[in-house]
Amino acid sequence: MKRAVLRAALLLASIGLLAAGLLAGIDALTRERIAEQRRLQELRQLAAVMPTDGFDNDPVESRIAVRASRWLGRDESRIWRAHLGDAPSLLVLEATAPDGYSGDIDLLVG
């Protein structure tokens, strides 16, 4: 009986280790691609509120996080900064309007 339980435990542990190894490998293979897709999605969202000819930098790389819950409606908001040459040209703020009919409304304000 003890031998059967030990064998089942070893089999279960082996399957768990194999699954963990597979997940770690898949994560390592897809990490950069997922990060790039998230960056491209962020750029698409910004394109809805930022004119593309108004800046020549990468606003995702110039993003900062601020804590201004009283004014922006969330604990931490992101601000994307755009420059044209060396001069600042645009800002996009992430905010939440807490008075929507069915809950909070998340906004990008440019």
Side-chain angles (χ1 to χ4, degrees):
M1 182 74 166
K2 282 185 178 182
R3 190 169 261 199
V5 171
L6 182 61
R7 193 156 78 193
L10 287 174
L11 179 63
L12 183 60
S14 298
I15 291 172
L17 286 173
L18 178 65
L22 284 171
L23 286 174
I26 290 171
D27 178 61
L29 289 173
T30 59
R31 182 178 296 140
E32 288 179 19
R33 185 173 176 194
I34 291 171
E36 179 61 19
Q37 290 301 314
R38 285 183 177 151
R39 189 180 87 67
L40 291 173
Q41 176 64 26
E42 200 171 320
L43 284 172
R44 283 190 291 272
Q45 290 174 337
L46 290 173
V49 294
M50 293 176 82
T52 56
D53 59 348
F55 59 96
D56 57 8
N57 69 319
D58 183 358
V60 174
E61 294 296 322
S62 297
R63 177 186 63 218
I64 59 172
V66 296
R67 294 183 182 270
S69 60
R70 185 174 180 186
W71 295 288
L72 298 176
R74 50 179 53 207
D75 291 336
E76 185 172 292
S77 293
R78 296 176 291 180
I79 297 178
W80 293 267
R81 302 173 297 173
H83 296 88
L84 193 56
D86 291 334
S89 61
L90 299 164
L91 283 178
V92 175
L93 304 173
E94 180 179 50
T96 298
D99 52 357
Y101 288 116
S102 62
D104 295 345
I105 301 170
D106 293 327
L107 309 163
L108 285 181
V109 182

